[in-house]
Amino acid sequence: MFKVFSKCTLAALVVTSSCVSAEQTRKLDSSIWQLQWSDEFTYADSELDKNWISQNGPTENPWVLSSRWRDNAQVKDGVLHLIAKKESRGGQEWTTGNVWSKRSFHYGYFEARFKYAGAYGTNNSFWFWPKQGVKGDLKACEIDVNEGHFPNIINTNVHNWTDTYTLPNGRVAHSDKQLHHTLIGKPDHTLVFKKPIKSKKIRLTSNNPASIHISEFRVFPPSASYPNAFDVEQVNSANNLAQVDNVTIKTNGLFNKLMSEESFAIDGNPQTRWVSKKHGEKFLQLSWDEPQEIGAVQFINGWLQEHGVDKGAYRNLISDYSIEYHDGNNWQKITSYNAADVADFSKDFHTYGIEWDKDYFNFYFDGELYYTMRNDVCFSETTMLFSLAILKAAIAGPVSDDIDGTSMAIDWVRYYTRKENSEH
């Protein structure tokens, strides 16, 4: 039916033409699944309201900066555009669009083909929420197939909004299972400087929308060659200035939901990692008592999935960074990286799918399975939503005028159910 992500599609899709795209190879097994409902958006804009309801007014969610209006949901040339505009309306400084289905859905396979809005700060969502309410003792469940963040971050989540609890600080919380997925890219970066620099301070900075995970950050003096990031023997034989006695480390802080320490980034153990605070600019800075001659920086980021269908894949790969050194007066940039140069989900359409039944959720990217989790809470019928939001606190990256005029573009959405005699 579907394919599990191979090493080719995870790591090499963007660097070699020998890998055939999943969009070309994917085939839905018609002996198991039958199409029940779809919207291809091949009609006039005025007909959108036959299948969908649009928000018209301010957004109550305190993390969302945009009010949402029917004007911002436009069908054109077979595509539904949810448009972001910098305009004051409804008491908020931005406007965007969102729609939810008039009909309800239950178990099956759901898939939508869309592009992200091409700017940081945007939340491009394909999700489910029971706007019609739930019956009896069933839970109010939110299923996020993807809350996508530019340029290529996929966010999955399942919320139980019924069973809330109060934290010691008085904040009311609920159960959720949020994960940030970066399926294209690599965890190791070795940055060899064109000319060695001499400095007491060097740092990595990033506007990554989520926490950054650094398992090892290494600094090397000039050399004819540098170690493979994952070759223990090579690394141990190299002179790593991040592990000398007089080095000090400073960061923007720690993510409080994971076991983490700043020192884990330079402890020589790839099994531990520093996990930054989730919001705002992230940085990791090393300082020495005396200037050091530096020829290269190397780091390993993200976290390694050790179980399930995605065993061996890395999660939470960094979206952007700069490497800088201090010249005694100011910070000077040596090099920078932008994951949009590797994979930009606002430039090309991709499909995001979920297979949902009473036992499991299976998440798919371009028709290939990349993540599975148990279903412990979502058993009621629900409505389908597409929404574009602008998020505060750099949750999806910094908010800037680059957002103005961008859109989440949905090509189609389809819903399949299993045939009665198919294996489950």
Side-chain angles (χ1 to χ4, degrees), residues 6 107 138 191-192 377:
S6 65
Y107 302 141
L138 295 175
L191 310 162
V192 179
V377 66

Side-chain angles (χ1 to χ4, degrees), residues 245-376:
D245 291 339
N246 65 344
V247 70
T248 58
I249 185 170
K250 182 180 180 182
T251 75
N252 69 302
L254 304 172
F255 181 52
N256 60 8
K257 291 186 179 181
L258 291 174
M259 181 178 167
S260 171
E261 298 291 341
E262 291 178 332
S263 61
F264 289 171
I266 55 173
D267 65 356
N269 181 5
Q271 303 305 313
T272 63
R273 64 187 188 272
W274 163 65
V275 185
S276 75
K277 282 187 176 179
K278 190 173 181 179
H279 301 149
E281 185 181 55
K282 290 83 182 174
F283 71 88
L284 184 158
Q285 175 182 313
L286 297 187
S287 304
W288 299 268
D289 296 339
E290 298 294 332
Q292 305 293 314
E293 189 173 20
I294 302 171
V297 165
Q298 181 181 85
F299 66 90
I300 301 172
N301 80 107
W303 57 272
L304 184 63
Q305 182 72 28
E306 297 180 349
H307 306 284
V309 297
D310 47 358
K311 181 179 179 181
Y314 272 84
R315 292 288 182 263
N316 290 77
L317 297 178
I318 199 166
S319 67
D320 71 281
Y321 63 79
S322 293
I323 300 294
E324 302 171 313
Y325 76 97
H326 202 271
D327 66 3
N329 297 305
N330 300 295
W331 287 101
Q332 302 292 338
K333 184 183 295 185
I334 305 171
T335 188
S336 61
Y337 167 85
N338 188 341
D341 296 331
V342 177
D344 183 348
F345 291 175
S346 72
K347 293 280 181 66
D348 300 303
F349 283 104
H350 292 279
T351 59
Y352 306 89
I354 187 170
E355 183 183 356
W356 167 38
D357 62 33
K358 62 182 180 60
D359 298 312
Y360 289 98
F361 300 101
N362 292 309
F363 293 88
Y364 294 84
F365 173 69
D366 282 342
E368 301 198 15
L369 177 66
Y370 69 90
Y371 177 58
T372 294
M373 64 174 287
R374 286 200 63 85
N375 179 14
D376 299 319

Side-chain angles (χ1 to χ4, degrees), residues 128-288:
F128 297 90
W129 169 252
K131 280 188 168 290
Q132 79 286 359
V134 294
K135 299 177 181 179
D137 59 354
L138 295 175
K139 310 296 184 183
C141 169
E142 175 186 336
I143 306 169
D144 298 318
V145 183
N146 183 16
E147 289 189 285
H149 294 167
F150 176 84
N152 56 36
I153 295 174
I154 299 171
N155 292 287
T156 61
N157 206 341
V158 174
H159 301 258
N160 175 359
W161 288 100
T162 297
D163 300 324
T164 60
Y165 54 93
T166 303
L167 298 172
N169 63 5
R171 185 171 70 88
V172 177
H174 69 282
S175 172
D176 67 2
K177 297 180 179 179
Q178 184 175 34
L179 279 178
H180 306 273
H181 308 273
T182 40
L183 302 178
I184 300 174
K186 63 176 186 174
D188 59 306
H189 294 246
T190 300
L191 310 162
V192 179
F193 305 158
K194 293 181 179 179
K195 293 182 179 180
I197 59 100
K198 204 162 189 177
S199 179
K200 290 184 177 182
K201 298 178 182 179
I202 196 162
R203 71 181 183 182
L204 175 150
T205 62
S206 176
N207 287 308
N208 192 78
S211 296
I212 60 174
H213 298 235
I214 305 292
S215 58
E216 283 300 304
F217 189 86
R218 302 162 181 150
V219 181
F220 301 117
S223 174
S225 62
Y226 297 97
N228 179 306
F230 296 105
D231 189 314
V232 176
E233 185 176 342
Q234 288 185 22
V235 170
N236 289 342
S237 64
N239 182 10
N240 182 4
L241 299 175
Q243 291 189 303
V244 298
D245 291 339
N246 65 344
V247 70
T248 58
I249 185 170
K250 182 180 180 182
T251 75
N252 69 302
L254 304 172
F255 181 52
N256 60 8
K257 291 186 179 181
L258 291 174
M259 181 178 167
S260 171
E261 298 291 341
E262 291 178 332
S263 61
F264 289 171
I266 55 173
D267 65 356
N269 181 5
Q271 303 305 313
T272 63
R273 64 187 188 272
W274 163 65
V275 185
S276 75
K277 282 187 176 179
K278 190 173 181 179
H279 301 149
E281 185 181 55
K282 290 83 182 174
F283 71 88
L284 184 158
Q285 175 182 313
L286 297 187
S287 304
W288 299 268

Side-chain angles (χ1 to χ4, degrees), residues 35-102:
L35 182 66
Q36 289 287 355
W37 179 90
S38 68
D39 197 333
E40 309 291 322
F41 303 109
T42 52
Y43 44 70
D45 179 70
S46 59
E47 295 184 43
L48 178 68
D49 304 309
K50 291 181 179 180
N51 288 333
W52 305 90
I53 300 171
S54 293
Q55 178 177 324
N56 274 291
T59 303
E60 295 180 358
N61 189 317
W63 296 106
V64 176
L65 297 174
S66 53
S67 59
R68 290 184 278 210
W69 308 85
R70 173 64 174 87
D71 297 351
N72 297 71
Q74 297 179 12
V75 177
K76 183 179 180 181
D77 298 328
V79 176
L80 170 61
H81 297 272
L82 304 180
I83 303 167
K85 299 178 184 178
K86 190 175 183 181
E87 58 180 353
S88 296
R89 192 176 180 188
Q92 293 172 285
E93 296 303 308
W94 291 87
T95 63
T96 52
N98 81 338
V99 295
W100 60 91
S101 60
K102 288 187 173 181

